Amino acid sequence: MMRALMMLAVFAALTGCAITSPFEASQEKIAASAYIDEGPPKLTVFTMVNNRSGSGGHTALMVSGSQRVIFDPAGSFYHADVPERGDVLYGISPGWVQAYKSAHARSTYHVVSQEFVVTPEQAERALQLVRSNGGVPGAFCTSATSSILQQVPGFEDVDSTFFPIRLMEQLEQRPGVVTDKYYENDEGEVRDGIVAAQG
């Protein structure tokens, strides 16, 4: 009974994790839109943090290796120009990274980015994992992200958790992390932010 109540509390808290998108891009569209960053391979964890309570609302993982993608498990980010398949957003250029953060940041939430420079092998393993994971049920965004990180060499000690802030606090203790906080003061929801970012 206590476990069931705890899970209900988790689901209630993670209102930023939405239902998996019904949009599935073709492999041809995904291949045509691939974006390759010129910098070193990186993993970046995004945590959406409530400005009032300090609680976490959503977790996502950006992988920059042979191409750059965002694993947005149970996320609500959608744009016709960003192919999506299995909760993975493709073609993530710098402009789309900014649009992603801008869509989530508003008067009630800010976005914490935790960036790690990794080896090409680590990046490719993460890319393989997010692409093969498939869609994630609502409220399982942090669980899915922490599970994927555990399977990347060098990140095996990451603890599984349903709570975005717990994962963020774990990652803050890791050597080499570069943390950034992004704020905006507009109203609205994720989809409103997408429209504004592309306006």
Side-chain angles (χ1 to χ4, degrees):
M1 180 68 172
M2 186 59 118
R3 183 178 174 86
L5 289 173
M6 186 174 177
M7 291 305 293
L8 284 172
V10 169
F11 295 152
L14 300 180
T15 55
C17 295
I19 301 301
T20 301
S21 170
F23 305 102
E24 292 287 307
S26 68
Q27 295 294 349
E28 292 76 17
K29 186 171 184 180
I30 287 169
S33 69
Y35 176 83
I36 303 170
D37 184 62
E38 295 180 357
K42 293 178 183 177
L43 301 180
T44 305
V45 175
F46 296 117
T47 306
M48 298 15 157
V49 181
N50 189 296
N51 291 332
R52 298 182 181 120
S53 68
S55 62
H58 185 53
T59 302
L61 172 65
M62 184 166 67
V63 181
S64 187
S66 57
Q67 64 174 304
R68 186 159 66 190
V69 305
I70 294 177
F71 177 55
D72 191 33
S76 53
F77 186 94
Y78 171 77
H79 192 282
D81 293 337
V82 179
E84 177 178 353
R85 189 175 186 87
D87 282 352
V88 178
L89 307 173
Y90 292 87
I92 303 300
S93 65
W96 284 117
V97 175
Q98 178 58 35
Y100 183 84
K101 292 195 293 186
S102 183
H104 288 87
R106 48 193 182 270
S107 61
T108 50
Y109 280 90
H110 68 275
V111 179
V112 176
S113 304
Q114 294 173 296
E115 182 181 274
F116 299 88
V117 174
V118 296
T119 66
E121 293 76 18
Q122 287 173 304
E124 289 313 298
R125 176 60 175 153
L127 185 59
Q128 175 192 45
L129 288 165
V130 299
R131 295 188 71 179
S132 64
N133 190 78
V136 175
F140 281 79
C141 57
T142 308
S143 175
T145 302
S146 58
S147 175
I148 282 172
L149 286 172
Q150 287 176 331
Q151 299 174 69
V152 176
F155 290 82
E156 298 94 341
D157 59 338
V158 170
D159 291 331
S160 294
T161 180
F162 278 89
F163 297 97
I165 298 301
R166 287 188 186 171
L167 179 59
M168 184 183 77
E169 289 173 347
Q170 283 188 63
L171 296 176
E172 194 58 40
Q173 305 306 312
R174 299 186 68 86
V177 62
V178 176
T179 301
D180 177 72
K181 297 181 180 180
Y182 181 77
Y183 292 84
E184 287 186 6
N185 197 35
D186 58 322
E187 300 297 329
E189 299 299 327
V190 171
R191 295 189 193 283
D192 301 320
I194 296 168
V195 172
Q198 295 303 303

